[in-house]
Amino acid sequence: MVKNIKGGSVSGFLKKINFTVILGAAALFCAAGFVSPAPALCADNSACMDCHGRKKPGFGKAPQVNKSDLAASRHAGEKCTACHTDATPGPHKVKPSKISCRDCHAKVAAKYDHSVHGEARASGESEAATCQDCHTPGHKIVSKTSPESSIYPFRLPETCARCHADPVLAQKYNFPQDVLKEYYGTIHGRALVRSGLLVTAVCTSCHGSDHNIQKRSDPGSTINRAHVVDTCGKCHAGIAAMFKQSIHGRKLAEGSALAPVCTTCHSAHRIVRTDAQGYQLQVVKECGDCHGEYLATYRDTYHGKITRLGYTKVARCSDCHSAHNIQKVSDPRSTLSPANKEETCRKCHPKANENFIKYIAHSTKGKQVQFRVLFWTVLLMSALLIGTFAFFGVHTLLWLSRLVGDLKKHRAEAAQKAAQSGQYYFRFRLYHRILHGIIITSFLGLVLTGMPMKFSHTGWASFLAHFFGGFEVMGLLHRFFALLTFLYFGLHLSYAARYIVSHREFRMFGPDSMIPRWKDAQDFVGQVKWFLGKGPRPRFDRWTYWEKLD
């Protein structure tokens, strides 16, 4: 073997010379553009851009790369082969495989692998989002702070909606299809689109922005009920701190599955302003989902009936109990504790005093022992109402059946009387006719303005309330018709007093009196027999038993 002066072999020396020559020749060929670069042979991207920049003839089918996009991207200083690691000298005999971001972004890729998207990909779901689906596609990847970025706050909702508003994917994976439309209708969405507030909540604000989005059911998810308060608290820190001190917050911390969180009352993708009328009406029902018994008793109150008619200018749950700082009534911090109740009522009723606050808001007519007066009042009034309608309903039906049976006879009698001439008398004087007009007007007015309150749960009640111009106008009209009732009652009493004084022959009792007597009971039995065809029709006093009952 031949040795060189320094002791190395000649063959080793020749190999070094051959490698240096080959490397130099390759560099010259790359610089001259005779061949496409191998992954690690060219110092820049110029050879790649000769084909993919469509400058060189004959390479029109090569995917185009916009130089300006690449120059403005986050990867502007990177070589093509940093991402396209398996690209061979071109024209490529084998199509390069899809790029893998994990070679440079290993930590991010590890988080993605454990996300709902990464796990779906691993299980074979090819539709699950990858890096390119969220970040600006192609060679235009820019900083997330750039308005051109697809994950810039202003553009992020539409980026997520490319999958989450797709009807096919929504049906396949069972997620809401109208999520983008719903978001744009929320207070967060309007703040973003209409006001351009980039600090408002977008998708990643709630679902996580660290490439580790999890299902809501996952204990580590930012939207898991155990973490919702902290997630919302990133923006609403003061409210979150207040909530954690409330009875709901303490129950949540204890692990109660029944304790509400932010989304229980405010929803997730349909969050609106709390002063919006629709929300203020809906939140009463939200409270009732957990506190059903209290919602039922609230609906029996004036406040509850007005809200059910569709109006919000009355007290709702949060007006008395507060919203995020709800405490037990026995807690001194509660807005309804004995020390604070008067002040709470004065927010709406400035003149509220010690007697005013004795009002029991959630009393129930079904508890005889606890609310005895209310129980018996409701029971007796209900019995009177049902009994009156039942009595006169049956009475009218029996009378109607008898009249239908005697229809031919009555027609003949009517024709005979019409043929006879006679003198006619006014049944009522002008005074009594006016009085009856006031009675009819008052009664119908009270019914039309009062029944909507009693039946506030019906559609026609809400229609009447709006027809009259709202519950406040309806209340004024109801009071007006009530004054008419007192008016005709007073007029009748004055007339009766004058009549008694001016007619010496007046008797308090007897056949001409309105006071019921034993003969009225006999007439009732005789009338029923006549209804049934079991006897003649009785001869009545000046006032019949049904007129006295009425």
Side-chain angles (χ1 to χ4, degrees):
M1 179 173 293
V2 180
K3 299 287 186 178
N4 64 6
I5 297 174
K6 292 184 179 180
S9 65
V10 175
S11 60
F13 178 70
L14 292 175
K15 288 179 180 178
K16 290 180 180 179
I17 294 175
N18 291 338
F19 178 78
T20 303
V21 172
I22 293 171
L23 184 61
L28 290 173
F29 272 76
C30 284
F34 292 118
V35 295
S36 295
L41 294 181
C42 291
D44 57 30
N45 299 326
S46 58
C48 297
M49 295 305 293
D50 282 343
C51 298
H52 294 280
R54 296 193 180 180
K55 287 185 175 181
K56 196 169 184 179
F59 292 94
K61 294 183 179 180
Q64 184 182 14
V65 176
N66 190 306
K67 281 187 176 182
S68 59
D69 290 343
L70 184 60
S73 74
R74 294 281 289 179
H75 297 146
E78 300 291 340
K79 297 179 183 180
C80 302
T81 52
C83 296
H84 303 280
T85 56
D86 61 345
T88 60
H92 308 299
K93 295 180 180 180
V94 179
K95 183 179 180 181
S97 59
K98 289 187 176 181
I99 64 173
S100 174
C101 300
R102 67 180 60 245
D103 291 339
C104 297
H105 305 282
K107 292 183 179 180
V108 171
K111 293 178 180 179
Y112 169 82
D113 290 340
H114 292 90
S115 72
V116 63
H117 296 137
E119 290 177 352
R121 272 277 170 178
S123 64
E125 300 293 346
S126 59
E127 295 97 339
T130 60
C131 310
Q132 293 84 0
D133 293 313
C134 301
H135 295 276
T136 310
H139 300 85
K140 297 176 64 175
I141 296 178
V142 292
S143 170
K144 63 182 180 181
T145 60
S146 171
E148 298 298 322
S149 173
S150 56
I151 58 171
Y152 186 68
F154 196 79
R155 301 180 64 184
L156 182 63
E158 293 187 358
T159 297
C160 296
R162 288 204 292 260
C163 294
H164 289 275
D166 188 313
V168 177
L169 294 179
Q171 184 177 7
K172 181 176 180 180
Y173 296 104
N174 193 29
F175 55 70
Q177 178 182 338
D178 296 331
V179 62
L180 181 64
K181 181 180 179 181
E182 289 178 351
Y183 170 77
Y184 280 155
T186 67
I187 187 171
H188 295 142
R190 291 199 298 271
L192 181 69
V193 177
R194 297 183 183 180
S195 304
L197 295 177
L198 301 181
V199 295
T200 190
V202 292
C203 311
T204 53
S205 305
C206 303
H207 294 273
S209 57
D210 200 20
H211 299 89
N212 192 23
I213 297 175
Q214 302 291 342
K215 290 182 179 179
R216 181 175 56 184
S217 57
D218 191 300
S221 172
T222 54
I223 59 170
N224 181 275
R225 61 175 282 106
H227 304 298
V228 165
V229 176
D230 289 328
T231 297
C232 295
K234 289 186 298 183
C235 297
H236 306 280
I239 291 177
M242 188 186 301
F243 175 82
K244 289 179 180 180
Q245 297 300 318
S246 72
I247 183 63
H248 291 151
R250 296 198 300 273
K251 289 293 184 181
L252 180 66
E254 294 171 3
S256 173
L258 300 177
V261 294
C262 311
T263 52
T264 307
C265 302
H266 296 278
S267 77
H269 297 109
R270 294 186 296 274
I271 301 174
V272 296
R273 292 179 60 95
T274 56
D275 57 359
Q277 183 174 5
Y279 173 80
Q280 292 182 347
L281 295 175
Q282 179 64 30
V283 77
V284 175
K285 298 178 183 178
E286 297 289 352
C287 296
D289 289 341
C290 297
H291 306 283
E293 180 182 353
Y294 289 103
L295 176 62
T297 54
Y298 170 78
R299 291 300 193 195
D300 286 336
T301 66
Y302 175 78
H303 296 150
K305 293 180 183 297
I306 294 300
T307 56
R308 192 148 56 175
L309 287 173
Y311 299 95
T312 59
K313 200 177 179 180
V314 290
R316 300 169 303 281
C317 312
S318 57
D319 293 308
C320 301
H321 296 273
S322 78
H324 300 102
N325 192 27
I326 299 174
Q327 306 291 347
K328 288 185 176 181
V329 176
S330 58
D331 192 315
R333 295 173 296 175
S334 171
T335 53
L336 292 177
S337 67
N340 299 326
K341 190 173 182 180
E342 188 172 327
E343 182 182 352
T344 299
C345 292
R346 282 179 177 172
K347 290 189 298 183
C348 298
H349 306 279
K351 296 182 180 180
N353 53 29
E354 186 177 353
N355 287 328
F356 184 90
I357 65 175
K358 291 179 181 178
Y359 170 73
I360 304 173
H362 290 287
S363 60
T364 171
K365 54 183 177 289
K367 294 184 178 180
Q368 179 180 358
V369 177
Q370 189 175 0
F371 306 105
R372 185 171 299 173
V373 174
L374 178 63
F375 174 83
W376 285 108
T377 300
V378 172
L379 182 63
L380 292 176
M381 287 301 297
S382 299
L384 177 63
L385 183 65
I386 295 173
T388 301
F389 276 96
F391 173 80
F392 280 103
V394 174
H395 189 273
T396 302
L397 290 175
L398 290 174
W399 200 336
L400 180 62
S401 64
R402 179 60 193 257
L403 291 178
V404 171
D406 294 345
L407 187 59
K408 291 184 179 180
K409 179 181 177 182
H410 285 300
R411 284 178 177 175
E413 290 178 354
Q416 184 178 1
K417 289 181 180 180
Q420 299 174 352
S421 59
Q423 187 175 1
Y424 288 87
Y425 296 88
F426 281 111
R427 179 161 184 169
F428 295 119
R429 296 179 181 178
L430 177 62
Y431 175 83
H432 294 101
R433 279 179 278 166
I434 294 174
L435 206 61
H436 274 76
I438 297 175
I439 292 172
I440 294 170
T441 303
S442 171
F443 176 78
L444 292 178
L446 288 172
V447 169
L448 290 174
T449 56
M451 294 294 276
M453 292 289 290
K454 174 65 178 175
F455 299 96
S456 57
H457 58 282
T458 63
W460 61 263
S462 180
F463 169 79
L464 280 179
H466 287 82
F467 175 79
F468 283 116
F471 76 95
E472 293 165 308
V473 177
M474 191 169 65
L476 291 174
L477 290 174
H478 194 77
R479 291 172 176 81
F480 170 74
F481 292 122
L483 289 175
L484 289 184
T485 301
F486 284 105
L487 174 64
Y488 75 70
F489 184 67
L491 290 174
H492 176 70
L493 288 181
S494 64
Y495 175 84
R498 290 199 310 271
Y499 185 87
I500 292 173
V501 171
S502 60
H503 291 73
R504 300 288 183 180
E505 69 277 10
F506 174 79
R507 297 291 180 269
M508 184 65 70
F509 302 97
D512 292 335
S513 173
M514 284 288 291
I515 297 177
R517 62 189 190 128
W518 179 247
K519 186 178 182 304
D520 293 317
Q522 295 174 334
D523 289 344
F524 170 70
V525 174
Q527 184 78 343
V528 172
K529 289 182 178 180
W530 178 71
F531 287 156
L532 302 175
K534 303 295 184 181
R537 188 175 186 181
R539 293 183 62 84
F540 301 105
D541 291 336
R542 180 177 180 181
W543 308 105
T544 64
Y545 65 85
W546 64 82
E547 289 175 317
K548 294 179 181 181
L549 282 176
D550 188 47

